[in-house]
Amino acid sequence: MIAELSNPSVFMRDPQRVEDILKAMQKAGSNTIQVISDFDMTLTRFAYNGKRCPTCHNILDNSKLISEECKLKLQELLDTYYPIEIDSSRSIEEKLPLMVEWWTRAHELLVQQKIKKDMMATAVRESDAMLREGYQLFFDRLNEHSIPLLIFSAGIGDVLEEVIRQEKVFHPNVKVVSNYMDFDETGVLRAFKGELIHIYNKREGALLNTDHFQALRARHNVLLLGDSLGDLTMADGVQDMENILKIGFLNDKVEERKQSYLNSYDIVLVKDETLDVANSIVLHLTGSK
Ligand code: TMP
Ligand code: MG
């Protein structure tokens, strides 16, 4: 039905089910669709020319805004906790307190650096952040068809907004739920606002955003994009859901994690740095090839 679903990077537990969901969603029409996407390593690239691309946190960690001493500490945290994040032998219950520890310690270190709000744009501009290939089509097409895009990120809202602003795709249909920085009256970072969003509490985050989902309650069909098993709960706040199609990027530790991704995501994209499959689905649902 969609040629891109035969790409070598595409794996599906049940292709017939994918086809049935797509048929139902296409029949219902593009005004019944909402898109919910993770940001880091889902809308952004995992690697480029063999080199890892940064997450929102890494954009700051690698910038001039952070002292050399603090960079080492943040690197130590990454070396300790990232292997836990992607360890398929540990349960989510086991990982959860360790992820809270990672986020808490990283945010404490960032706050100690007295980061200035007016330096954020430069830090992003000078970073290696890269959205996945095909991002313009993805953002522009959703906007042209007034399909709401919720970017739901355990990264840093101020950083991710700046990334999409600099790429000229921060359109009016985009809403961001993330960790936002709290700057004092002189524009210096003093804390993070609100409830912490980490990789395994997106369900709780979703349930706090009832107003957003209430406003979109006529949009019963959801396209969900993520790269971690924690991203599967991003749609838990959606009201009156009829169909959901879950697309998961499997970027790292492929063999160990493939089965669990196939069990939870309808479409698994293995080491695929593009948004081609998502774009072909969006084109299909918005009525054009
Ligand atoms: P998300 O993609 O689910 O929104 O999660 C954010 C990513 O940020 C997650 O893959 C871990 C990563 N991260 C860092 O790279 N550095 C950090 O200091 C922290 C706390 C998270
Ligand atoms: Mg992610």
Side-chain angles (χ1 to χ4, degrees):
M1 178 166 59
I2 293 177
E4 283 75 4
L5 291 178
S6 306
N7 286 356
S9 61
V10 175
F11 294 82
M12 294 179 273
R13 174 185 75 252
D14 186 350
Q16 185 58 50
R17 195 182 121 81
V18 170
E19 193 166 320
D20 292 346
I21 297 173
L22 283 169
K23 259 192 200 141
M25 284 169 69
Q26 193 194 29
K27 188 157 174 260
S30 63
N31 59 351
T32 68
I33 293 165
Q34 53 177 305
V35 180
I36 305 179
S37 180
D38 170 51
F39 186 73
D40 290 310
M41 310 296 122
T42 295
L43 291 178
T44 56
R45 293 182 71 115
F46 179 74
Y48 183 64
N49 284 341
K51 192 170 167 268
R52 283 292 302 274
C53 293
T55 61
C56 291
H57 285 90
N58 301 153
I59 289 174
L60 291 182
D61 302 353
N62 302 336
S63 77
K64 291 183 194 138
L65 305 182
I66 308 290
S67 71
E68 289 307 313
E69 190 195 347
C70 184
K71 278 194 166 106
L72 287 175
K73 289 185 187 162
L74 288 160
Q75 186 62 44
E76 259 172 49
L77 292 183
L78 188 66
D79 295 342
T80 307
Y81 293 104
Y82 177 66
I84 300 173
E85 176 189 337
I86 59 165
D87 184 350
S88 54
S89 71
R90 300 191 201 217
S91 67
I92 290 184
E93 291 71 32
E94 198 184 332
K95 291 185 200 184
L96 193 142
L98 297 165
M99 294 296 107
V100 174
E101 213 173 88
W102 183 13
W103 260 256
T104 309
R105 293 175 70 181
H107 287 188
E108 271 168 18
L109 285 170
L110 292 175
V111 169
Q112 285 168 15
Q113 293 299 295
K114 309 227 172 300
I115 293 170
K116 292 210 178 78
K117 187 178 167 69
D118 61 9
M119 292 301 292
M120 300 286 291
T122 310
V124 169
R125 205 169 295 118
E126 291 178 348
S127 76
D128 297 327
M130 273 180 100
L131 294 168
R132 281 187 196 271
E133 225 173 285
Y135 73 88
Q136 292 104 334
L137 179 62
F138 181 76
F139 281 89
D140 292 353
R141 183 85 181 178
L142 293 177
N143 185 45
E144 279 159 24
H145 287 265
S146 303
I147 298 177
L149 167 61
L150 172 65
I151 301 180
F152 198 152
S153 170
I156 302 171
D158 309 74
V159 176
L160 93 76
E161 282 195 8
E162 194 53 42
V163 173
I164 58 176
R165 196 174 294 122
Q166 288 185 13
E167 297 295 348
K168 303 196 168 33
V169 290
F170 195 0
H171 300 316
N173 65 322
V174 175
K175 177 179 163 74
V176 179
V177 171
S178 187
N179 298 303
Y180 276 91
M181 295 172 138
D182 184 11
F183 296 97
D184 69 15
E185 56 289 346
T186 66
V188 173
L189 177 65
R190 62 172 164 207
F192 280 81
K193 291 180 189 167
E195 294 294 318
L196 175 72
I197 302 174
H198 58 79
I199 190 163
Y200 292 125
N201 72 348
K202 290 192 174 181
R203 178 183 156 78
E204 289 74 4
L207 296 177
L208 286 175
N209 281 279
T210 34
D211 288 356
H212 172 76
F213 291 115
Q214 174 73 16
L216 300 186
R217 68 188 176 283
R219 293 183 177 267
H220 310 294
N221 295 313
V222 178
L223 195 59
L224 179 144
L225 284 83
D227 78 295
S228 120
L229 297 180
D231 295 329
L232 291 158
T233 63
M234 292 188 300
D236 285 11
V238 174
Q239 300 186 10
D240 307 325
M241 184 146 64
E242 277 173 14
N243 298 289
I244 180 164
L245 187 71
K246 299 173 189 159
I247 304 177
F249 288 91
L250 178 51
N251 302 309
D252 205 359
K253 291 260 180 287
V254 170
E255 284 320 312
E256 294 92 315
R257 299 198 291 167
K258 198 164 164 192
Q259 195 53 52
S260 61
Y261 273 59
L262 280 169
N263 292 343
S264 337
Y265 281 104
D266 302 302
I267 300 175
V268 178
L269 302 172
V270 172
K271 289 196 181 291
D272 182 339
E273 293 291 354
T274 76
L275 284 167
D276 292 352
V277 169
N279 280 338
S280 65
I281 290 172
V282 169
L283 288 180
H284 181 77
L285 296 177
T286 53
S288 142
K289 284 277 141 197

